[in-house]
Amino acid sequence: MGRKRFRLGHDHGGRVTVRTVADIAGVSIASASRVLNGLGGSPELSARVRSAAERVGYVPNAIARSLQAQRTGLIGIAVPDIGNPIFIQMVRQAERVISDSGRQLLLHATKGDAAGEVELLRGLARRYVDGLILSTIKVTEAHHAILSQVAVPVVVTGQLLGDVPVDNVWADNTAGVQLAIEHFVQSGRRRIAFVNGPLDTIPGSVRDVAYRSSVAAAGLAVDDDLIENGDFTFAAGLDGTRRLLDRVRPDAILCGNDLIAAGTLHALLASGIRVPTEVAIIGMDNTALAELTFPRLTSVDLGGGERGRMAARMLLDRLETPDLPPRHESIVPFLAVRDTTVPNGDL
Amino acid sequence: MGRKRFRLGHDHGGRVTVRTVADIAGVSIASASRVLNGLGGSPELSARVRSAAERVGYVPNAIARSLQAQRTGLIGIAVPDIGNPIFIQMVRQAERVISDSGRQLLLHATKGDAAGEVELLRGLARRYVDGLILSTIKVTEAHHAILSQVAVPVVVTGQLLGDVPVDNVWADNTAGVQLAIEHFVQSGRRRIAFVNGPLDTIPGSVRDVAYRSSVAAAGLAVDDDLIENGDFTFAAGLDGTRRLLDRVRPDAILCGNDLIAAGTLHALLASGIRVPTEVAIIGMDNTALAELTFPRLTSVDLGGGERGRMAARMLLDRLETPDLPPRHESIVPFLAVRDTTVPNGDL
DNA sequence: TTGTAAGCGTTATCAG
DNA sequence: CTGATAACGCTTACAA
């Protein structure tokens, strides 16, 4: 038998629970709980409870409440890299929606590690969060397998491989790349290079295909020498562009994202090449970074913030109505034209 | 979909708990729990339990476990702005330490809102997290008051006002500013401006004082016309520098952080002013941003990552040894010299 | 209106 | 080694 739980006075092992409050107020814990939750109680009793709670500095234990309520009020959001401004953009907008709903966002960085993401999904069934927004750049079979088993609702942002019955928001990378290429072509560029991210990521491979078809559609030759693949980072943009310049002389460079574009810009300027006069640059994602380089980056807006906002909203919808059929939404991209493609007064 | 679990006598309302597993295995929930946690159990019984768990896809409920264990394994970290790379740096390093300890980091953005932070601290006593790292740039009386009442351990990163008995890691802003001014002076700069953050923040005001005393110590006149105060943002750096250039012509500009410095750089280049030849720039925080502007930013490293790392470590220490006396640690700053103060081969 | 008591899903204690 | 059973702190029928 456990030791008998008989209380004289108000000793509760230093822990203040609803029982402490009830004892001090001289009422049952049920009454205390009711008053504390604003559900009835006579004025006199309520006053006693409230004053007792105040006196001992009572704060309800969220864990216990969650166990009872079967929900935590926490929403997880997993992104590959919090150092990449595109994900900051997404998280920011998602956070808005989530916190407006009275919930809290639990941010998790996956480092783009597929195994880690799957592990996260598996652990997710542990119910620490009421739902998850998963932003992924690589999708494996394991993802698909586990996605259909997870106990809590998941919204995936990013393009999926097959036809998974899961809520999904994706950026139309193909249309985005096309916008960029058309912009280059219309301003007279003929040798358009592409410093892209890794081909074993979804955005990387989709953009590669889109680049090739857009270039071809513009009546230009597709030349593998004009293509570089590396990480989605500033360093990769810098290195990739240097390698590129060692073998060809493009008059325009499309970059896999804004971080890469910043690296490309840096490499060009360091080589004494004028931007945009000699070489034009377009980044992708249209993040805060695009505003802050000099010259400012023209960038394809793939609706990063909108994706975050929408993913959050879809998740809340599903929480409210679990039987909703899975939704797939895509965002229409647009081009934010700035100074790396069109010379402006500043230059 | 997993609707198939409604068979035989094992219907538990669609929810799989340890009881479900125990029933199917034909053992007590105590035995099931033990086996599932790797604590004994005969081979034969263990096998039965494990196979049952596997069959129904049992996943332990973390909430229930937390209620029992009186801990969640979650550590909160609250930062003013996840768009500012200094906080990303801090969070990254903290995350490393925390996840190495088998815990998870719950990131919370406070928007630098003092009231929100106090609310967070208050709600924190709800025990959703085992501890909190609070990175704050404004400290109010309310902070101090509540800090001494919170139920879970808190580590504050940032300079505190008085002598609060709480674990604390801070950056030596004064020494950092001094390093910057000395570097300017040694390279022959005489008219050193300061585009700073808001004076009603701790770093803003501390750096203001330090700037004035360092300039005076160098034998230069302190001129209010050389000082601009705004937000800790790129836009504020841009605007502040434009206003500055309207009334004075400095030969060096110290910036309150790297975001401001990027704005300053942008404003100078847009005005056709050569950097660093005509005007030198030093940022603060030495974030990833300092590496990616062109030219690269010289920046005062105030140990952002180190602060995150140390804060996490202090928190873990306190979790392990609650009776430790409060510790106050400061980080020794250094100057990361790059191209906005010293012309390099690239230029 | 108020109190009693039954859970929420685990783990831990204590007898067999 | 195994099985009842008492917590963990809270909410909520159900009674009084």
Side-chain angles (χ1 to χ4, degrees), chain A residues 218-291:
Chain A
L220 301 175
V222 175
D223 180 355
D224 278 342
D225 272 354
L226 287 170
I227 301 178
E228 275 289 336
N229 291 284
D231 286 334
F232 281 118
T233 62
F234 171 80
L238 196 61
D239 293 345
T241 304
R242 282 179 184 149
R243 284 197 302 273
L244 194 70
L245 294 178
D246 279 347
R247 59 169 190 267
V248 290
R249 185 40 94 83
D251 57 9
I253 304 180
L254 174 62
C255 298
N257 69 7
D258 287 344
L259 280 170
I260 293 178
T264 293
L265 177 60
H266 204 290
L268 291 174
L269 295 178
S271 303
I273 296 172
R274 280 169 303 157
V275 177
T277 331
E278 294 178 81
V279 178
I281 304 176
I282 298 183
M284 300 193 82
D285 288 342
N286 194 24
T287 60
L289 183 54
E291 293 274 354

Side-chain angles (χ1 to χ4, degrees), chain A residues 66 81 92 104 108 128 293, chain B residues 66 81 92 104 108 128 266:
Chain A
S66 295
D81 174 17
R92 274 230 174 93
Q104 223 190 315
H108 193 273
Y128 247 136
T293 58
Chain B
S66 295
D81 175 17
R92 274 229 175 95
Q104 224 190 315
H108 193 272
Y128 248 136
H266 204 292

Side-chain angles (χ1 to χ4, degrees), chain A residues 277-341:
Chain A
T277 331
E278 294 178 81
V279 178
I281 304 176
I282 298 183
M284 300 193 82
D285 288 342
N286 194 24
T287 60
L289 183 54
E291 293 274 354
L292 107 207
T293 58
F294 185 86
R296 291 177 156 100
L297 281 173
T298 292
S299 188
V300 179
D301 193 310
L302 293 164
E306 183 63 13
R307 248 139 70 213
R309 211 183 58 74
M310 200 174 277
R313 213 168 276 294
M314 283 170 92
L315 189 55
L316 295 181
D317 286 351
R318 177 154 307 279
L319 250 27
E320 196 164 332
T321 320
D323 291 331
L324 237 46
R327 283 187 290 169
H328 292 184
E329 303 273 3
S330 78
I331 311 284
V332 178
F334 66 90
L335 193 68
V337 178
R338 298 199 185 82
D339 313 331
T340 54
T341 53

Side-chain angles (χ1 to χ4, degrees), chain A residues 57-228:
Chain A
Y58 170 74
V59 182
N61 182 317
I63 298 291
R65 183 179 294 187
S66 295
L67 181 58
Q68 151 73 32
Q70 294 291 320
R71 40 183 245 90
T72 62
L74 295 178
I75 300 292
I77 184 167
V79 299
D81 174 17
I82 61 171
N84 186 333
I86 180 61
F87 296 118
I88 301 298
Q89 210 177 59
M90 279 192 38
V91 170
R92 274 230 174 93
Q93 295 306 314
E95 203 272 336
R96 259 193 141 89
V97 176
I98 296 298
S99 75
D100 280 356
S101 82
R103 274 165 265 245
Q104 223 190 315
L105 207 59
L106 193 164
L107 178 54
H108 193 273
T110 61
K111 292 152 192 149
D113 169 31
E117 282 177 11
V118 172
E119 208 40 57
L120 177 71
L121 284 170
R122 187 163 282 137
L124 199 66
R126 291 159 175 259
R127 303 176 184 285
Y128 247 136
V129 295
D130 295 339
L132 179 83
I133 298 171
L134 177 64
S135 176
T136 182
I137 57 173
K138 291 189 193 183
V139 182
T140 66
E141 278 309 314
H143 278 91
H144 284 135
I146 202 120
L147 270 177
S148 38
Q149 291 180 9
V150 171
V152 305
V154 177
V155 175
V156 174
T157 74
Q159 277 177 273
L160 291 168
L161 287 175
D163 194 34
V164 195
V166 69
D167 289 321
N168 175 232
V169 195
W170 55 284
D172 192 337
N173 285 294
T174 303
V177 167
Q178 200 171 338
L179 283 176
I181 300 298
E182 282 168 3
H183 181 62
F184 276 146
V185 171
Q186 276 163 22
S187 51
R189 312 284 172 170
R190 309 290 301 167
R191 291 189 60 69
I192 304 170
F194 190 18
V195 181
N196 192 11
L199 289 180
D200 64 352
T201 62
I202 301 284
S205 64
V206 170
R207 290 171 197 179
D208 182 72
V209 172
Y211 162 82
R212 290 168 190 274
S213 66
S214 297
V215 166
L220 301 175
V222 175
D223 180 355
D224 278 342
D225 272 354
L226 287 170
I227 301 178
E228 275 289 336

Side-chain angles (χ1 to χ4, degrees), chain B residues 215-237:
Chain B
V215 166
L220 302 174
V222 175
D223 180 355
D224 279 343
D225 273 354
L226 288 171
I227 301 178
E228 274 290 336
N229 291 285
D231 287 334
F232 280 119
T233 61
F234 171 80

Side-chain angles (χ1 to χ4, degrees), chain B residues 177-223:
Chain B
V177 167
Q178 201 171 338
L179 284 175
I181 301 296
E182 282 168 3
H183 181 61
F184 277 146
V185 171
Q186 276 163 21
S187 50
R189 312 285 172 170
R190 309 290 301 167
R191 291 188 60 70
I192 304 170
F194 190 18
V195 182
N196 192 11
L199 289 179
D200 64 352
T201 62
I202 302 284
S205 65
V206 170
R207 290 170 196 180
D208 182 72
V209 172
Y211 162 81
R212 291 168 189 274
S213 66
S214 296
V215 166
L220 302 174
V222 175
D223 180 355

Side-chain angles (χ1 to χ4, degrees), chain B residues 282-316:
Chain B
I282 297 182
M284 301 193 82
D285 288 341
N286 193 26
T287 59
L289 184 54
E291 293 274 353
L292 106 207
T293 57
F294 185 87
R296 290 177 157 99
L297 281 173
T298 293
S299 188
V300 178
D301 194 308
L302 294 164
E306 184 63 14
R307 248 139 71 213
R309 213 183 57 74
M310 200 174 278
R313 214 168 275 296
M314 282 170 91
L315 189 56
L316 294 181

